[in-house]
Amino acid sequence: CTVLAAACDAAQPSRVARLLCGAASGDGDAAPLSGVWHAAGVLADAVLASQTAATLQRVYAPKAVGGWGLLRACAASPLDACVLFSSVAALLGLGGQANYSAANCCLDALAASRHARGSAATSVQWGPWADVGMAAGQGVNARLQAGGIGLLSPAQGNSFCDLIKYFFVSH
């Protein structure tokens, strides 16, 4: 298979569609699009009473809007794999992350809806990584650990990524 890894502002549906246009069509030397992986996200943590429309949009844009735009852009492609990287925050509703929890629930719902229609879809609820990633700074990891949430080491996270790649790319 050929893998295209590209950075794109997932919150801009037109940019996502433009990125996927050539890949989905299979024009030229490119193979037809057979799988997509959505791994966008940002944090804007605050207790619910302190959340604003801006902090909600900051988090929803790459996660929920980006996931929806990605799935709309590749709707005509019969995908073998559709992997949306969600968060355990969707399941546990972690304190100070109401916006992040809800945005990840949207990703889970997108995957469930696609799966219910008989299309490939998986939502992976990641836990926080130690030392790297969005939760590594701003005291987020310390707050999560104080709340009883364990952290994935980079080695554990990379091993899990290898397992996901094996499952979706090799089969």
Side-chain angles (χ1 to χ4, degrees), residues 6 11 15 27 31 35 47 63 69 72 83 93 118 120 127 135 139 141 143:
R15 293 182 185 177
D27 292 338
V47 295
K63 282 281 186 189
R72 289 190 67 199
V83 181
N141 271 349
R143 189 180 76 234

Side-chain angles (χ1 to χ4, degrees), residues 33-52:
L33 184 65
S34 62
V36 294
W37 296 53
H38 175 60
V42 295
L43 294 177
D45 290 356
V47 295
L48 186 57
S50 299
Q51 291 290 343
T52 65

Side-chain angles (χ1 to χ4, degrees), residues 34-118:
S34 62
V36 294
W37 296 53
H38 175 60
V42 295
L43 294 177
D45 290 356
V47 295
L48 186 57
S50 299
Q51 291 290 343
T52 65
T55 59
L56 289 170
Q57 181 179 4
R58 176 171 163 72
V59 173
Y60 263 77
K63 282 281 186 189
V65 174
W68 178 251
L70 176 65
L71 296 184
R72 289 190 67 199
C74 63
S77 301
L79 300 177
D80 295 326
C82 174
V83 181
L84 306 176
F85 285 88
S86 178
S87 170
V88 70
L91 176 66
L92 301 177
L94 302 174
Q97 293 191 315
N99 56 358
Y100 190 67
S101 297
N104 282 287
C105 283
C106 287
L107 282 186
D108 298 341
L110 284 172
S113 174
R114 198 175 147 77
H115 194 269
R117 292 189 316 272

Side-chain angles (χ1 to χ4, degrees), residues 12-19:
Q12 300 294 323
S14 62
R15 293 182 185 177
V16 174
R18 189 170 44 248
L19 175 69

